[in-house]
Amino acid sequence: MRRRVFRLLVDPIACDGHGMCAELFPERIALDRFGYPVFSDQPVSPDLLPLARRATTMCPQLALHLVEANASGGAGR
Amino acid sequence: MPAFRPLPNGGRLGPAAVRSWWPKGAEGEPASAKDAVLLARTPHLVLDGATAAAAALGACRVVAYVPEHLVPGVRRAVAERARHGLDPVPIEVVGAPSAFLAGQEAAVVSALNGGPPMPTFQGLVPIRRRGVQGRPTLVHNVETLAHLALVARFGAAWFRQVGTERAPGTVLLTVSGRSPSPVVIETPLGSRAGEVLGLSNEEATQYAGALVGGYGGTWVPIEAMVDLELSPEGARRHDAVLGPGVVVLLGKRTCPLAEVARVVRFLEAQSAGQCGPCIHGVAGLAATLGALAWAPATLRRGPEELVELASLVEGRGACRHPDGVARFVTSACEVFADEVARHLRTGLCPLAAAPGTLPLPRPLARPAGVAW
Ligand code: SF4
Ligand code: SF4
């Protein structure tokens, strides 16, 4: 079976930049100088999935998503 | 999407929308006029392309989303077609508001769904899967549809007679700065810019630089512009895209940094104001450029700050607006590096107070109905 690789994706319209996600998941999320999340280039490894899921469910705006790394989408990263 | 790529063919599509991506005048890309020219002079060609695309995809609906002032003309053309029973699917004509981003494809879909004409987040479900009325939607620009209609009428071999192997056909350019008023030119893809613009190496020296691809485009050194190949690959060699087909030659009796600062101020006002990095980053770029142009002595960090903010906004919005602003600013810093150094060294520029020459709608108003 193919191993599924995940990455983070933020809806920049919904995100209000309070930075909760970076506190919950500093392994992959940092904040830019304005307080909006920036993701590390590294995929979210399986051992980090629980932390990543917690960050997505705790985001007060539900702006943070965990998607398959090879899934295509539009703008926004 | 260029006309020569095959249409995506996954199942049947719902509505197909025609958009005038960069309408004329105070609407959309201020330096572009090609779509307005096509819609005003050859509306049937554009509508032929739209119905051909709809037929190929099995679409149930075609919507022509065009600037308000062109609605009556396009409606007349649609009525003529209806009288002759030409179209397999009904064509609706909807007026587009005059805002820079109103033609962005997700904004088109949002408006047709009764929402605000602003981009929406496309990261999870793109509009080609869920668009107008929740159905798969294809959004094409006016020029592409005109090309499609020509392919449908005369065949692929005819279409390939001009252009390059990888980019067959022609392209429409709106050229400003070469003549007293802007002109729309159709030229085979692969043409040399110097020939199309009537620009020799010697004449080029009267210009400070060339802008390719409009206000989300790239500044190219004027010497390189003469030999630039007008095709997607040719533009890419200069980190440029033809995009909306806008070419602006900037003269020397004006301050390029003040020109760039004015445009970025306009682009800041045109942002839909929805995404944090775009709102703050583009505002930061506008402020820094303004200081660099008109008050360089007040700057703590100049070009480095611009490069840093540009990379901060790139790819961080729901739409590509900030990416275009970043490209516009970073290429300006490179092409006008001497002017940047001079501003920083001397602290003032005698030309900065000169009136702007890059086309901008006046007065610089924020689009109505957008909350800030
Ligand atoms: S927690 Fe959610 S809203 Fe807050 S910064 Fe992170 S993604 Fe944005
Ligand atoms: S990226 Fe900027 S212009 Fe695009 S939707 Fe977000 S705020 Fe608006």
Side-chain angles (χ1 to χ4, degrees):
Chain A
M1 203 183 82
R2 193 169 57 93
R3 245 189 66 228
R4 300 171 73 195
V5 184
F6 290 88
R7 68 180 168 95
L8 292 158
L9 176 71
V10 67
D11 171 349
I13 297 178
C15 168
D16 65 5
H18 284 308
M20 169 99 83
C21 51
E23 267 172 49
L24 289 169
F25 192 27
E27 290 83 353
R28 290 291 181 273
I29 307 178
L31 298 180
D32 68 18
R33 65 162 101 165
F34 302 117
Y36 294 91
V38 184
F39 308 128
S40 125
D41 290 336
Q42 307 226 25
V44 179
S45 43
D47 54 311
L48 291 175
L49 277 177
L51 283 175
R53 290 227 168 81
R54 188 176 58 142
T56 60
T57 48
M58 300 276 283
C59 165
Q61 298 295 116
L62 295 181
L64 193 62
H65 304 276
L66 195 59
V67 295
E68 283 210 50
N70 50 4
S72 63
R77 67 180 180 203
Chain B
M1 186 192 297
F4 43 86
R5 248 188 261 149
L7 290 168
N9 219 344
R12 292 166 76 80
L13 285 195
V18 184
R19 84 183 146 181
S20 167
W21 193 356
W22 306 108
K24 189 182 176 264
E27 301 146 352
E29 172 88 28
S32 177
K34 64 167 177 129
D35 287 351
V37 166
L38 278 176
L39 281 169
R41 300 224 182 142
T42 58
H44 285 295
L45 189 66
V46 178
L47 295 172
D48 279 356
T51 52
L57 295 163
C60 58
R61 220 180 130 191
V62 169
V63 181
Y65 187 67
V66 302
E68 289 288 356
H69 70 280
L70 295 173
V71 165
V74 177
R75 282 233 166 91
R76 241 183 341 264
V78 170
E80 280 162 21
R81 303 170 75 86
R83 268 203 304 283
H84 294 92
L86 281 182
D87 295 319
V89 283
I91 304 176
E92 292 152 62
V93 185
V94 177
S98 54
F100 190 77
L101 285 169
Q104 195 268 352
E105 55 180 32
V108 172
V109 169
S110 171
L112 294 180
N113 279 335
M118 287 197 270
T120 53
F121 178 54
Q122 293 297 304
L124 297 176
V125 193
I127 56 170
R128 62 171 186 276
R129 280 201 268 138
R130 192 195 298 158
V132 177
Q133 294 172 328
R135 313 183 62 166
T137 300
L138 177 72
V139 182
H140 260 325
N141 69 39
V142 165
E143 185 184 0
T144 305
L145 292 170
H147 284 314
L148 263 181
L150 291 172
V151 175
R153 267 187 214 175
F154 302 117
W158 176 87
F159 191 76
R160 287 189 162 274
Q161 281 174 354
V162 294
T164 68
E165 185 55 38
R166 295 187 55 194
T170 63
V171 63
L172 282 173
L173 303 172
T174 310
V175 180
S176 306
R178 185 73 185 117
S179 45
S181 53
V183 285
V184 175
I185 298 175
E186 182 179 19
T187 184
L189 281 160
S191 316
R192 209 171 132 264
E195 252 154 61
V196 175
L197 304 173
L199 195 67
S200 66
N201 283 317
E202 202 196 320
E203 280 169 302
T205 57
Q206 52 177 303
Y207 294 99
L211 176 64
V212 176
Y215 293 161
T218 308
W219 287 97
V220 175
I222 195 70
E223 317 80 61
M225 186 64 192
V226 177
D227 289 316
L228 183 134
E229 182 194 302
L230 291 165
S231 68
E233 307 104 90
R236 209 174 305 127
R237 266 175 246 135
H238 299 272
D239 293 320
V241 285
L242 293 182
V246 168
V247 172
V248 184
L249 298 183
L250 186 68
K252 281 194 166 159
R253 274 195 298 231
T254 177
C255 168
L257 303 181
E259 296 279 1
V260 167
R262 266 187 225 104
V263 170
V264 174
R265 185 63 76 196
F266 163 76
L267 294 172
E268 179 202 358
Q270 294 301 312
S271 129
Q274 305 190 102
C275 313
C278 176
I279 298 170
H280 299 289
V282 175
L285 284 170
T288 310
L289 279 163
L292 183 61
W294 292 294
T298 64
L299 266 186
R300 276 176 298 127
R301 304 175 69 226
E304 322 81 65
E305 171 76 350
L306 292 174
V307 170
E308 205 177 299
L309 283 169
S311 72
L312 187 151
V313 300
E314 220 190 317
R316 303 277 308 288
C319 75
R320 297 282 177 211
H321 182 60
D323 307 28
V325 178
R327 190 159 48 212
F328 183 81
V329 172
T330 42
S331 60
C333 288
E334 283 162 26
V335 171
F336 304 123
D338 290 351
E339 282 82 357
V340 172
R342 192 164 56 238
H343 275 229
L344 292 173
R345 199 173 56 239
T346 63
L348 80 159
C349 168
L351 288 174
T357 61
L358 291 181
L360 284 176
R362 226 161 280 272
L364 265 187
R366 292 190 159 169
V370 177
W372 300 91

